[in-house]
Amino acid sequence: MENFNNMDLPGEIILSLERMSIITPTEIQKKAIPVALKGTDILASSQTGSGKTLAYLLPIISSIIKNNSRALVLVPTRELAHQVRTTLNKVTMGFKVSSAVLIGGEPMAKQYMQLKSPPQVIVATPGRLLDHLSQKTVKLVGVKTLVLDEMDRMLDMGMKEQVADINKHLPGKAQMLMFSATMPQDIISFSYKYVVNPERISVGSTTTAAVQIKQETLKVTDKEKFPELIKQLESRAGSVIVFVKTKRGADQLAKMLKFENHKADAIHGDLNQNRRDRVISAFSNYKTQILVATDVAARGLDIKHVMHVINYDLPMCAEDYLHRIGRTGRAGAEGYALSFISPEDSIRWKAIERLMTKGESTKREDMFGSRKVKSGSARPGKRSFSKDNRSNDVGRRFSGNNRDNSNNRNGGNSRFSESKRGDDTGRKFNNSFKRSRA
């Protein structure tokens, strides 16, 4: 179907899409929307940034308009929850659809106000929804559709049991719409506990990045990382997300970048919701150029003007690499991804290459090799950010006493283009922070 008019969607939705200048559906929307409108369960996979959110929201809104039904959307992160509700509000701007966002990091009392009248759409992280269910502040009566968005991340974050508990609170069999950017076998096995005769939908490769994202690697030692990051940032224009491994590392790196007169901020799981909202707002509105993030930001951030992703530390599982670099190259725009590979990164990088070239997943525990990860790694002492000490300090590993922490391993050969430290990575960029919305 080449346009939304042929999908049996209510006129209110068509008018809203036209107002939003959304005329042609993406491939995942073409395949998923007609199936969902029939009430069939769906198990769908599609690349990050391919339009999955509208693929399930439009059928939900259609069912609300026609049948006055309710829907529950489960997501793994707070950022994704807010993104889903923002999209819902845009589509339903011309007509009334009530909704609630139930996420951690916010006072329960604030969320009670959203639940005084049963919302037609609940967008929630599993843990906070269970809090409300246990306190009987929310009921799932009338929920006809259950969406699991970013299902691979949910399982990776240990939410399998929470999803099972939530499913017990549903009044009956709900239509299940399961969406994921990657589809390893453990997700398929998990999904068949809940779906009935599902339609399997796959669009594009779920183990390769979008073609418009130029990927590069750079071999560096730990000591060379920070000086090289400064060099790379000075050769690039546009907004940049720098991914690190730990929460403490994110805060440290953001401080060091500010010391070098870069407009930078950090986002990670320890920030309260108000602080996270301010950080994302500043980045979205070009007040900061660089967002230093842990993997909490790899899912759910949909900021069109992100030009560059830099993996300062490689992720702890190969699938997260795709979600990280998927923050650039959104909606068909050009994007650039650079990964630093230290001498201790070979196991992780080889796992990423196996995923990208052969579609093979690697268990998280196998990403660390034969050496076990120590849970109680020592916290480094206070650091001086003076110019005299910078050359010796900036390349050190940022280790933290938190669950984001892991150890890197030894770097190997890469099929991706490799930059030399003496050269600029990718195309030449202006040094200024251009306010381009490309």
Side-chain angles (χ1 to χ4, degrees), residues 206-245:
T206 59
T207 59
T208 58
V211 294
Q212 68 269 19
I213 300 175
K214 181 181 179 182
Q215 301 173 68
E216 295 176 301
T217 62
L218 185 62
K219 291 182 179 180
V220 295
T221 63
D222 286 345
K223 189 174 182 179
E224 293 169 331
K225 272 189 175 184
F226 186 75
E228 185 59 39
L229 176 63
I230 295 299
K231 184 186 299 183
Q232 294 295 332
L233 292 173
E234 289 174 349
S235 70
R236 296 168 185 264
S239 298
V240 184
I241 299 180
V242 180
F243 280 104
V244 296
K245 192 174 51 173

Side-chain angles (χ1 to χ4, degrees), residues 65-105:
I65 293 173
K66 294 179 179 179
N67 306 314
N68 195 30
S69 60
R70 300 178 69 203
L72 171 62
V73 180
L74 295 180
V75 296
T77 66
R78 294 180 252 180
E79 283 72 28
L80 184 54
H82 282 297
Q83 177 193 319
V84 171
R85 191 189 204 182
T86 297
T87 303
L88 175 67
N89 288 343
K90 288 179 180 178
V91 176
T92 60
M93 187 177 295
F95 49 97
K96 180 67 173 177
V97 171
S98 61
S99 63
V101 172
L102 308 180
I103 55 176

Side-chain angles (χ1 to χ4, degrees), residues 30 45 60 83 102 143 146 148 238 313 324 329 386 395 427:
K30 289 178 183 177
S45 57
I60 285 174
Q83 177 193 319
L102 308 180
V143 170
L146 173 60
L148 301 185
D313 297 321
R324 284 184 176 191
S386 67
R427 62 166 65 181

Side-chain angles (χ1 to χ4, degrees), residues 2 9 12 18 29 32 49 61 83-84 103 108 121 133 139 147 163 176 181 302 327 339 352 391 409 414:
E2 298 304 319
L9 292 168
E12 297 95 321
E18 291 175 351
Q29 292 163 6
I61 298 169
Q83 177 193 319
V84 171
I103 55 176
M108 293 282 284
V121 180
L133 288 170
K139 294 182 179 180
V147 177
V163 171
M176 301 290 290
D302 187 14
R327 297 313 98 194
S339 297
I352 291 169
S391 61
R409 295 288 175 260
S414 170

Side-chain angles (χ1 to χ4, degrees), residues 70-200:
R70 300 178 69 203
L72 171 62
V73 180
L74 295 180
V75 296
T77 66
R78 294 180 252 180
E79 283 72 28
L80 184 54
H82 282 297
Q83 177 193 319
V84 171
R85 191 189 204 182
T86 297
T87 303
L88 175 67
N89 288 343
K90 288 179 180 178
V91 176
T92 60
M93 187 177 295
F95 49 97
K96 180 67 173 177
V97 171
S98 61
S99 63
V101 172
L102 308 180
I103 55 176
E106 288 185 351
M108 293 282 284
K110 178 182 176 182
Q111 296 172 0
Y112 295 154
M113 301 299 294
Q114 303 178 64
L115 300 171
K116 282 190 172 182
S117 298
Q120 293 166 300
V121 180
I122 298 173
V123 185
T125 51
R128 178 49 61 93
L129 179 60
L130 284 172
D131 291 340
H132 281 282
L133 288 170
S134 66
Q135 296 185 23
K136 302 187 185 304
T137 51
V138 65
K139 294 182 179 180
L140 303 182
V141 176
V143 170
K144 300 298 184 184
T145 304
L146 173 60
V147 177
L148 301 185
D149 195 0
E150 300 288 11
M151 190 169 50
D152 52 348
R153 182 63 170 169
M154 282 192 198
L155 268 62
D156 192 51
M157 293 172 70
M159 296 179 178
K160 184 185 297 184
E161 290 76 16
Q162 293 176 328
V163 171
D165 288 343
I166 290 168
N167 189 63
K168 295 174 184 176
H169 286 83
L170 293 175
K173 172 65 177 77
Q175 180 188 21
M176 301 290 290
L177 306 179
M178 298 185 173
F179 286 81
S180 182
T182 59
M183 195 61 68
Q185 185 58 45
D186 59 333
I187 289 182
I188 297 173
S189 300
F190 169 77
S191 68
Y192 275 92
K193 297 179 181 179
Y194 304 99
V195 294
V196 176
N197 298 322
E199 182 85 11
R200 286 285 302 273

